[in-house]
Amino acid sequence: MSFGGSDVYIWNQILDIMRKDIEASGYEFLTDDPQWDVAKQASDWDTWATRGDVKAIMGWPIEANALGPVTKRINDKNIPVLGYAATWDGVDASFLTDAHKEGVAMGDDVAKWITEKYGADAAVDVGIFHTSDAQIGRDRLAGEKEALEAALPNVQIHHVNGISREVGYEGVKRVLTAHPDTKVWIGDNEAVLGAYKALKEDGVAADDPDYFLGALDVTNESLDLLKVKDSILRSAYVYRPEDVAEVCVKLLLAAAAGEKVEDLYASNSPVTAETADQFYTK
């Protein structure tokens, strides 16, 4: 199983759960840390494919198009390739989400809050963190922009490319230099946590009534922030790591056994301060 990097907390949770189930089924579970370098990710996959004992490879592609050649080489060795939140040529099946729908839901949450707070015609700036190198990031961004621009004719969207905490932290500082009135920040969880840290350092209170943060794929840390009274984290959506891991394990074990595999889908769930406790993971 190959993710983009080891700095996304939910991916580490998923891997820990998957490892137990994969090894309980009698397999060795291989993982890597390409550190957001697609060339290293491709090299790791080549290494796995040449071992002679690898039965299936699954991954979140740092850049799907760049993994085409290594995917073909793996296909030529009759090793199934599975996608996580993406699909590309040579993939047998994937764990997929409706990323565009997720983006629309987040965009709707933001638009509703801005309309109530500042008015639908207000000129507002919105910072968004997603990676344009992956389909899920492009689809989420497109959904958010679609919802925001439909409801807020004067919205200004500032896309920051990436999903890590460092990207979120540095992105806030960079956007605020050019657009100092930006008070709305949304995107993938790790980047939003980085943005939260930057805003706190800039003097923004955890319950500042003028700010809105929204995060997708939230983790325990974000759930803690969500439960703060009048928290600036006002919109959150979660995939339970256990549910995602179950789907990924199902695909990997079926593919490893030579069974026919098909795309499997999952949906995220909205989380509020009142419902947060049921989404904590160990």
Side-chain angles (χ1 to χ4, degrees), residues 89-270:
D89 287 346
V91 169
D92 291 70
S94 295
F95 159 73
L96 295 173
T97 68
D98 191 337
H100 182 270
K101 181 179 178 181
E102 294 169 357
V104 169
M106 176 62 73
D108 284 342
D109 290 348
V110 176
K112 180 180 178 182
W113 183 82
I114 290 175
T115 299
E116 294 175 352
K117 180 73 177 179
Y118 298 108
D121 293 328
V124 292
D125 294 275
V126 177
I128 300 181
F129 305 100
H130 291 302
T131 174
S132 59
D133 296 325
Q135 191 64 46
I136 186 172
R138 293 191 293 270
D139 288 348
R140 282 178 167 177
L141 176 61
E144 287 158 355
K145 291 179 67 175
E146 178 182 307
L148 288 169
E149 291 172 351
L152 307 167
N154 296 313
V155 68
Q156 295 293 320
I157 295 172
H158 311 293
H159 174 227
V160 180
N161 189 33
I163 63 175
S164 70
R165 292 201 190 199
E166 182 180 5
V167 165
Y169 183 84
E170 296 297 335
V172 164
K173 295 180 177 297
R174 188 167 65 251
V175 171
L176 287 179
T177 299
H179 308 281
D181 291 330
T182 307
K183 294 181 172 63
V184 179
W185 303 89
I186 62 175
D188 292 288
N189 183 71
E190 292 297 310
V192 172
L193 287 173
Y196 184 90
K197 179 181 178 182
L199 292 171
K200 289 280 287 183
E201 289 180 1
D202 203 38
V204 176
D207 60 353
D208 191 309
D210 296 331
Y211 281 77
F212 182 110
L213 270 65
L216 296 163
D217 304 339
V218 298
T219 57
N220 290 0
E221 184 176 353
S222 301
L223 294 174
D224 289 342
L225 299 180
L226 188 66
K227 291 168 65 176
V228 172
K229 182 175 173 55
D230 300 322
S231 175
I232 61 174
L233 182 60
R234 303 180 189 278
S235 177
Y237 290 81
V238 63
Y239 281 100
R240 287 176 51 84
E242 296 89 346
D243 297 339
V244 175
E246 181 181 359
V247 173
C248 293
V249 168
K250 182 177 181 179
L251 281 171
L252 273 171
L253 292 181
E259 299 172 8
K260 179 177 174 57
V261 288
E262 297 180 345
D263 294 341
L264 296 177
Y265 290 81
S267 299
N268 63 6
S269 302

Side-chain angles (χ1 to χ4, degrees), residues 56-80:
I57 295 173
M58 185 175 194
W60 182 93
I62 296 171
E63 187 177 344
N65 291 338
L67 292 180
V70 68
T71 300
K72 184 179 186 307
R73 292 192 292 273
I74 296 170
N75 291 159
D76 290 343
K77 295 179 182 294
N78 295 316
I79 300 172

